[in-house]
Amino acid sequence: MSELRIGDLCARVPVVQGGMGVGVSLSGLAGAVAAAGGVGVISTAQIGWRDPDFGRNPIECNLRAVGEEIRKARAKADGGIVGVNIMVVTRRYEDYVKAAVAAGADLIISGAGLPMTLPELAGDVKIAPIVSSRKALHVIARHWKKKYDRKPDLVVVEGPLAGGHLGFSHEDIDAYTVTREKNYDDEVRSIIELADELEAQVVVAGGVYERSDMEHYLAMGAKGVQMATRFVTTRECDASDAYKQAYIDAKKEDIVIVKSPVGMPGRAIHNAFLDKVNAGERFMRGCRQCITTCKPDTAPYCITEALINAVEGNLDEGLIFCGSNAYRADRIETVADIMEEFS
C-alpha cells in the first residue's frame, strides 16, 4: 500500500484518524494511530472539559489543554504524525490555532466553515481544509493563493456518510444517502481533479470502515482516507467504555440525522436523550462558549453538555455522535490491528 505524503511528512499507512470531540479523540487515540504509522488527530472541541475551572473559564481551559494533549500524544507517537482538528466556527478560533502551532502540531485540519485565515495563523505548520464540494475548495484555494501565496498541503473531502456535524443540507443528505438521486463519487472526482492542479494530496472521509472502502477511493485518485467511527471501538480511544458499547449495541436503524442546536445537521445514535429533545424538553443550562453559531437563548440543549455526558458514559443525558457505519462495530479492537488491515 502506498504511503501518504503531506509535504515533507510521511505516513506509512495512508489513514488519517478523524478528529472527534468532545473528548473522543485526545492524546490516547491520536498517539496510538501516529505510532502505528497513520496520522493521529486530536480534536480541540471543548478539549479542556475535565479541568475543574472549565465551568467558569472554558476557553482558557481549552487552550491549556491543547498544548497538554499534543505533548502527551507526541510522547506516545514514536516519531509519527500528530495533527489537530480545529473547527472554524470555534469561538476564538485564531487562539486555538496559535496554541496548536506553539505546542508543535505537525498538521492543522480545519472545517465547519471556510478556514480563510489559516495560512496566516499556521506559519510553517502543514494545513488541510475540510471541504464537501469542489466549489468550497476553489474558494479557499483562490483566497489562499491571492492573499498568502499558499496552497493546501492536504485536502480532506468529507462526504455525507460522515459522523457528527455535516457540511450538507438535509435535502442533500437525503439525495446522496436515501433516494440516491446524487452520486457523491462524482463530487469526489471533481475535487480530486482540482486538488491535483493545486498539487495537494486528497484523503476522503465519510463512510470509510474497512480496507475495501479505502481501495475504492485510492482507485479514484485519492492518496488516502480519513476514518473516525472505526477507531471509537478501540482500547486506545479516549471515550468511556459505555460510549464504545453504545456503538457495539447500535443497529442500523438506530443511526439518525439530528438537528444540532448550533445550526447544522448531524449524525448520531438514537437514544433516550434524543427522545426527550424531540418531545420538546429543554436542557439549556448556561453557555460553555463553544460555537459561534449557537444561540443559547433558543437552543434546546447545550451541545457541549450533551457531548460531555455521552463521552463520560451518561448516555441517557448525552448526544452520541457517530458515522453511518457505527452499527457495524461488534467488538473492541486495537489501533494496531486496524492499521495493519489498512497497511
Side-chain angles (χ1 to χ4, degrees):
M1 189 61 66
S2 60
E3 302 168 331
L4 172 62
R5 293 192 173 273
I6 309 169
D8 57 357
L9 302 175
C10 180
R12 177 175 54 81
V13 184
V15 171
V16 178
Q17 165 249 311
M20 296 173 281
V22 173
V24 179
S25 63
L26 298 175
S27 57
L29 179 56
V33 173
V39 179
V41 178
I42 295 164
S43 169
T44 67
Q46 302 297 59
I47 190 172
W49 98 92
R50 292 174 295 192
D51 192 299
D53 198 37
F54 181 76
R56 291 180 297 173
N57 298 297
I59 295 179
E60 287 71 17
C61 292
N62 289 336
L63 293 175
R64 286 197 298 271
V66 169
E68 292 167 1
E69 291 296 326
I70 290 174
R71 285 186 285 273
K72 287 193 291 185
R74 179 76 65 208
K76 299 174 182 178
D78 194 25
I81 302 170
V82 175
V84 294
N85 181 299
I86 309 173
M87 295 185 293
V88 177
V89 291
T90 302
R91 293 182 188 271
R92 289 175 53 184
Y93 168 75
E94 294 82 4
D95 290 333
Y96 284 81
V97 176
K98 291 175 183 176
V101 171
D106 295 314
L107 170 69
I108 296 173
I109 299 172
S110 203
L114 304 182
M116 306 303 267
T117 61
L118 185 55
E120 177 182 0
L121 301 166
D124 295 333
V125 176
K126 302 295 186 293
I127 51 177
I130 300 175
V131 300
S132 295
S133 69
R134 180 186 174 114
K135 179 180 179 181
L137 178 58
H138 176 72
V139 170
I140 293 167
R142 183 175 59 182
H143 180 79
W144 284 8
K145 176 63 176 176
K146 181 178 180 180
K147 189 163 185 179
Y148 307 108
D149 193 26
R150 183 93 182 253
K151 298 176 182 178
D153 297 292
L154 180 73
V155 176
V156 179
V157 181
E158 190 166 278
L161 296 176
H165 288 123
L166 303 170
F168 298 87
S169 66
H170 283 276
E171 292 75 18
D172 276 345
I173 293 171
D174 284 344
Y176 282 122
T177 65
V178 180
T179 65
R180 306 289 182 178
E181 294 172 11
K182 297 181 179 180
N183 183 350
Y184 193 67
D185 279 358
D186 294 337
E187 191 70 34
V188 172
R189 292 187 184 94
S190 182
I191 296 171
I192 291 173
E193 179 183 49
L194 176 56
D196 285 345
E197 295 174 12
L198 299 170
E199 300 178 330
Q201 309 281 47
V202 170
V203 296
V204 182
V208 178
Y209 197 81
E210 59 188 15
R211 184 187 172 109
S212 62
D213 299 319
M214 179 176 69
E215 291 173 343
H216 171 76
Y217 290 118
L218 294 181
M220 291 169 57
K223 300 303 181 183
V225 291
Q226 178 176 283
M227 182 169 63
T229 291
R230 178 75 182 270
F231 287 116
V232 170
T233 50
T234 60
R235 293 178 190 168
E236 297 89 348
C237 177
D238 297 278
S240 67
D241 289 345
Y243 189 96
K244 299 172 188 181
Q245 191 63 41
Y247 276 50
I248 294 172
D249 292 341
K251 299 179 176 62
K252 188 174 184 178
E253 58 269 24
D254 294 328
I255 298 173
V256 296
I257 300 297
V258 300
K259 182 180 179 181
S260 165
V262 302
M264 293 178 276
R267 182 171 276 111
I269 296 175
H270 181 264
N271 65 347
F273 175 73
L274 288 178
D275 284 338
K276 295 172 188 176
V277 172
N278 292 334
E281 292 189 45
R282 192 165 187 264
F283 302 92
M284 195 68 196
R285 294 180 284 266
C287 177
R288 277 76 173 182
Q289 301 294 306
C290 61
I291 302 296
T292 59
T293 55
C294 183
K295 297 178 173 58
D297 292 342
T298 57
Y301 59 92
C302 171
I303 193 164
T304 291
E305 182 179 1
L307 292 173
I308 290 173
N309 285 341
V311 79
E312 290 184 335
N314 181 14
L315 302 184
D316 287 346
E317 301 295 331
L319 176 63
I320 312 168
F321 271 157
C322 70
S324 57
N325 283 311
Y327 71 95
R328 295 175 64 180
D330 60 5
R331 67 191 187 281
I332 299 297
E333 305 178 89
T334 67
V335 164
D337 287 342
I338 293 173
M339 297 300 282
E340 179 65 26
E341 176 186 332
F342 281 79
S343 296

